[in-house]
Amino acid sequence: MKTLKNGYRYKIISLAMSASLPMMIETGHASPLALPSPLTFAAGPLGTLNVQGVASGYGVWQDNKFAGSGNPGNKSASADISNGMVIIQKNTGLVQFYLQTGAYNVMTLGSSYFSTGTFTQNTFGALPVGYVEIAPTDNFNIQIGKLYTLIGAEYTYSYQNWNIERGLLWGQENAVNKGIQANYTAGPVTASVSWNDGFYSNRFNWVTGMLTWAINKQNSVFFQGGGNLGQTDYTYSSIATTPLQNNESIFDVGYTYSGSNLSVTPYVQYTSVPAGAIQALGAGTRKTSTLGAAILADYSLTDKISVAGRVEYISNSGTVTDGAANLTGFGPGSHAWSLTVTPTYQNGGFFARAELSYVAATMPNNTGFSGTNSLAQTQLRSMLETGFMF
């Protein structure tokens, strides 16, 4: 990723994290930590390859005891690896490639905790992203393999984002999918379209797209959308594949401002799952939708210290008695909001940051989403993350 001083940034069309890919544009995605320039070496017939990586760990505490699989069990604090990954890529010539391998964890607001080993094994494996790219021109390329999603305003892994944890709206978005993607730029406009397996389902019935217009260096707008063209009626054991969301349609509209010290991305999200898919999965009887909005912001105090913030709101349509499905994890008829603050220090390849997040939900029938008994309607978390990038 090419990152300029004082907050100006370029974003990768494939959302491929923080490595320098050949086609780079502004998207609605929040800027990651700045990776140092890649190491390069000659690889014989493969040409010149770039290598980058990150090694980081985190500590987490929350007011309600952890619940979930592979968790520390009846505890309120834990520590683990957040990123242990190496990126190797070839970004010149007609045939290029991108490989990312290692261990990782994705902490999400309002969700259960999973250990890094459990999360890596039950999501995208030790090679979470890898694809071949055919780039006949500087303005057009085609990528085939395991790709980053085109949907959303946050990247997948913690070091790619302003905040350590992903937000509430992230829960309706996929992260990595298998498929084919075409990317094209024409002046200030960039378009991408992908045929893929949605929420990593191994059923290739999803189409997603992204359109971005860079008004100028500081302002851009984006539209993202996609959905399941058919119906996928089976359940999954993978953490990465949520059956209801794998049958949804999703649309995000947003705006990004990148000033000398301040960057802000507000966006609105709408999702909908048809009644037929909900009935087939035994999750309800009627069409159900979510409506969410978020503001992501980052302010650079110095060239090494910044403070990021995120505020979100999301609602789940229906009631507990009308056959609506639980799409958000807070239940039909629920409303939830969150607030996250993340101060960050980065000096070269070293970074350290803290985070405080709060989630509150209005849920029917006095149900809850947090704690070992799942009856709490709020969740307060604090986190520390530190590591090295090269």
Side-chain angles (χ1 to χ4, degrees):
M1 166 88 43
K2 185 185 296 182
T3 305
L4 302 182
K5 189 176 180 180
N6 297 328
Y8 290 104
R9 65 196 189 280
Y10 292 89
K11 304 295 182 61
I12 303 167
I13 193 168
S14 64
L15 314 185
M17 314 219 311
S18 37
S20 300
L21 294 183
M23 183 183 296
M24 309 180 78
I25 60 156
E26 284 286 340
T27 73
H29 283 63
S31 177
L33 294 163
L35 276 173
S37 299
L39 305 174
T40 62
F41 67 95
L46 294 179
T48 299
L49 302 185
N50 295 336
V51 179
Q52 292 176 297
V54 57
S56 63
Y58 67 84
V60 57
W61 171 90
Q62 65 184 45
D63 58 347
N64 295 307
K65 296 184 185 299
F66 295 115
S69 175
N71 62 73
N74 200 34
K75 296 181 180 179
S76 295
S78 186
D80 212 328
I81 296 170
S82 55
N83 303 281
M85 292 185 282
V86 174
I87 302 163
I88 302 174
Q89 66 172 325
K90 180 179 184 294
N91 58 6
T92 59
L94 175 64
V95 180
Q96 306 175 21
F97 64 84
Y98 179 96
L99 300 173
Q100 182 167 352
T101 182
Y104 47 90
N105 204 334
V106 179
M107 296 286 287
T108 306
L109 295 181
S111 296
S112 299
Y113 172 89
F114 296 91
S115 68
T116 298
T118 297
F119 192 90
T120 301
Q121 182 179 357
N122 290 279
T123 53
F124 314 114
L127 183 69
V129 180
Y131 57 84
V132 174
E133 179 175 312
I134 309 300
T137 71
D138 291 338
N139 296 328
F140 176 74
N141 63 53
I142 296 176
Q143 299 164 342
I144 304 171
K146 296 173 70 173
L147 307 166
Y148 281 97
T149 180
L150 293 172
I151 306 297
E154 294 180 278
Y155 292 94
T156 301
Y157 303 113
S158 65
Y159 76 93
Q160 302 172 296
N161 294 282
W162 289 328
N163 305 111
I164 302 173
E165 302 169 271
R166 302 299 79 70
L168 298 179
L169 275 62
W170 167 266
Q172 308 306 309
E173 302 162 357
N174 55 4
V176 173
N177 46 58
K178 304 168 189 173
I180 182 170
Q181 179 175 313
N183 309 300
Y184 178 73
T185 60
V189 177
T190 301
S192 298
V193 62
S194 174
W195 173 56
N196 57 70
D197 67 344
F199 282 73
Y200 211 69
S201 67
N202 285 322
R203 297 295 186 270
F204 294 89
N205 51 10
W206 264 69
V207 171
T208 56
M210 178 181 70
L211 184 66
T212 302
W213 175 36
I215 302 171
N216 51 44
K217 285 186 176 181
Q218 292 185 322
N219 300 277
S220 63
V221 292
F222 61 91
F223 172 79
Q224 304 159 349
N228 194 323
L229 299 181
Q231 184 170 303
T232 310
D233 297 338
Y234 63 94
T235 58
Y236 313 83
S237 59
S238 169
I239 300 171
T241 311
T242 48
L244 285 170
Q245 279 75 15
N246 195 50
N247 283 278
E248 74 181 5
S249 297
I250 182 169
F251 303 96
D252 286 0
V253 178
Y255 160 79
T256 296
Y257 168 80
S258 298
S260 58
N261 294 93
L262 176 67
S263 297
V264 182
T265 297
Y267 72 107
V268 177
Q269 177 194 89
Y270 173 81
T271 76
S272 177
V273 181
I278 291 174
Q279 293 169 3
L281 292 168
T285 59
R286 60 169 292 180
K287 175 183 176 181
T288 309
S289 62
T290 72
L291 181 62
I295 300 175
L296 304 155
D298 182 75
Y299 185 79
S300 298
L301 299 172
T302 70
D303 59 351
K304 294 182 176 66
I305 300 174
S306 63
V307 178
R310 176 182 57 207
V311 60
E312 298 176 289
Y313 168 85
I314 192 168
S315 64
N316 194 130
S317 70
T319 69
V320 294
T321 59
D322 69 355
N326 181 4
L327 300 182
T328 62
F330 305 113
S334 65
H335 305 265
W337 63 274
S338 73
L339 179 63
T340 308
V341 179
T342 312
T344 298
Y345 172 81
Q346 182 179 0
N347 188 350
F350 172 78
F351 72 93
R353 53 187 177 172
E355 182 162 290
L356 186 66
S357 64
Y358 181 77
V359 180
T362 302
M363 303 173 65
N365 294 347
N366 295 318
T367 56
F369 68 91
S370 184
T372 53
N373 58 7
S374 296
L375 293 179
Q377 293 192 355
T378 63
Q379 184 180 80
L380 178 68
R381 268 187 190 158
S382 61
M383 295 190 71
L384 294 172
E385 184 184 35
T386 186
F388 298 90
M389 300 179 292
F390 64 87

